């Protein structure tokens, strides 16, 4: 079992930046690949980014590539998502998730989920 808690969401202007954090507790954090997903009202939960247990492998959705960066600090059992050049279409609830099996891009690849943090980007 691993518990995940996101923080850092809020309101940003278009073109601005936010840093999301996801703190983990429970099982050994460094064993887990971590993912970020987002869900806008009335829409499916979409893949945003993923990072392997070592941090050496990262994956990004095309819509955020070049703007968002995933990183992790295994000593602090935390993963971050740095979001730059934000756009109104980035508005969503952002979730972090943990997987033992894959640096996946599908929600079903992940076993543990946080409660989410709201990101709102205004024009």
């Amino acid at each position: 079992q691993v518990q995940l808690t996101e923080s850092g969401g809020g309101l940003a202007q278009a073109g601005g930046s936010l840093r999301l954090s996801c703190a983990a507790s429970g099982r050994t954090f460094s064993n887990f690949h971590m993912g970020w997903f987002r869900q806008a009202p009335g829409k499916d939960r979409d893949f945003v980014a993923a990072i392997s247990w070592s941090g050496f492998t990262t994956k990004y959705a095309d819509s955020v590539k070049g703007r968002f960066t995933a990183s992790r600090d295994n000593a602090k059992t935390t993963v971050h998502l740095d979001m730059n050049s934000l756009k109104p279409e980035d508005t969503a609830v952002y979730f972090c998730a943990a997987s033992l099996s894959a640096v996946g891009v599908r929600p079903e690849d992940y076993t543990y989920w946080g409660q989410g943090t709201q990101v709102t980007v205004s024009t």
Side-chain angles (χ1 to χ4, degrees), residues 98-123:
S99 170
L100 283 173
S101 60
V103 188
V105 300
R106 306 173 304 167
E108 53 264 41
D109 293 329
Y110 293 84
T111 305
Y112 303 104
W113 291 84
Q115 293 300 307
T117 185
Q118 176 70 46
V119 170
T120 303
V121 183
S122 63
T123 55

Side-chain angles (χ1 to χ4, degrees), residues 6-7 15 18 22 24 32 44 52 60 65 70 74-75 78 100-102:
E6 302 94 339
S7 62
L18 283 174
C22 175
F32 287 88
D44 293 334
S52 63
Y60 298 96
K65 204 170 290 183
N74 285 342
T78 301
L100 283 173
S101 60

Side-chain angles (χ1 to χ4, degrees), residues 20-75:
L20 304 185
S21 297
C22 175
S25 61
R27 294 178 62 180
T28 305
F29 175 74
S30 59
N31 290 344
F32 287 88
H33 309 300
M34 300 296 295
W36 288 97
F37 290 79
R38 66 187 180 187
Q39 189 166 20
K43 296 192 175 182
D44 293 334
R45 190 167 295 190
D46 292 332
F47 170 73
V48 175
I51 185 166
S52 63
W53 68 269
S54 64
F56 288 157
T57 299
T58 54
K59 297 181 180 178
Y60 298 96
D62 288 343
S63 59
V64 306
K65 204 170 290 183
R67 300 189 298 122
F68 290 11
T69 303
S71 61
R72 65 189 295 159
D73 185 337
N74 285 342

Side-chain angles (χ1 to χ4, degrees), residues 74-102:
N74 285 342
K76 296 182 178 179
T77 66
T78 301
V79 62
H80 302 287
L81 184 68
D82 288 298
M83 307 187 296
N84 298 310
S85 302
L86 283 164
K87 303 176 181 180
E89 51 264 43
D90 294 320
T91 296
V93 177
Y94 283 70
F95 299 88
C96 69
S99 170
L100 283 173
S101 60

